[in-house]
Amino acid sequence: MKYSSIILFLVLFTACGSFKKNKELYYTSKEEVAVDMNFLASDALQGRDTGSDGIEKAATFTEQIFKTNGVKPFFETYKDTLTNYEQPAYNIVGYLKGKDKSLRNEFIIIGAHYDHIGVDTTAIEDQIANGANDNASGTTAVLEMAKYFGKTKSNKRSMLFVLFSAEEKGLLGSKHLAQKLKGQNLDLYVMLNFEMIGVPMVDKDYLLYLSGYERSNLAAVGNGYAGEKVVGFLPKAKEFSLFQRSDNFPFHNVFNAPSQTFSSFDFTNFNFYHQPGDEVELMDFEHMTNVINKMIPVVEKITNAENREIKYN
Ligand SMILES: [Zn+2]
């Protein structure tokens, strides 16, 4: 190696190193997770019932985060009005165009429902079901990933960041959006959904389980991208057919593209499912931060892989 090429090599090596470091700077922190969670699960939002003033506040909060981080509206505005629900209800849809000309027609959807069940006026003490775990936690994952990709613009494929409304009314927001996008001939590569990631599982050698685990190679490919076992199989998820019980399912039905949900609610680690006790104080921000920061590079590799490596079996 000539002296000049050694110098060139050193310069390139240093540049690559600092770029990697810069990207990690944009990973989320416990503090940022806390800001999202404390707002979304606060009493001021009154349990984020679909069509309520409370969920409207969550919508505005989300739009603000998209806007300040360079995530654009996919439709005319961020709000995608549901056509299958009587009260005004909106999904929030953010868009990042892929930077690779030949891949940008392919889309990755990162989603979570941001609605919850609202207020139970018959309850004697606490009437507000704050929905911290279900699903302020998944919403926070989407928001923090939107921030990361909005700042780095590192995605070769195009991305949609979606907060679904009316999940608790029967997956209405996702049913509406899946049909609408299909009508526009969107080319969906994968749909990755986040549900109840606020509390870690006990005695597992993985951080998240995947619904519909055996249907695709997503867990295997994802763990390969992560370089460690982040995602695993939870038998209970199969037993309770969780694959069919969240917003991934309409995308599976309409597109037949890999559409699956990541979660760390294992039926033993949280006793307040759909209860007023689903409070932010019970959430483990350290776990959430870890989950999000392990998933960011996985999602990045999904958006940037030369070929579509994730497939249904
Ligand atoms: Zn949920």
Side-chain angles (χ1 to χ4, degrees), residues 9 21 40-41 62 100 118 138 169 258 263 268 270 289 291 307 313:
F9 174 78
K21 227 191 226 156
L40 292 166
T62 298
D100 185 298
K169 313 290 182 196
S263 177
T268 67
F270 191 66
T289 307
V291 161
N307 299 307
N313 297 326

Side-chain angles (χ1 to χ4, degrees), residues 113 115-116 133-135 167-168 195-196 245-246 273-274:
H113 74 89
D115 70 305
H116 192 58
N133 203 2
D134 185 16
N135 189 26
E167 190 267 357
E168 306 284 6
E195 270 268 14
M196 300 184 74
R245 288 176 53 188
S246 191
Y273 175 72
H274 283 195

Side-chain angles (χ1 to χ4, degrees), residues 281-299:
E281 289 75 20
L282 300 178
M283 298 299 105
D284 184 334
F285 294 160
E286 186 120 17
H287 162 70
M288 288 185 61
T289 307
N290 190 27
V291 161
I292 296 164
N293 286 342
K294 296 267 186 199
M295 284 304 294
I296 283 174
V298 171
V299 172

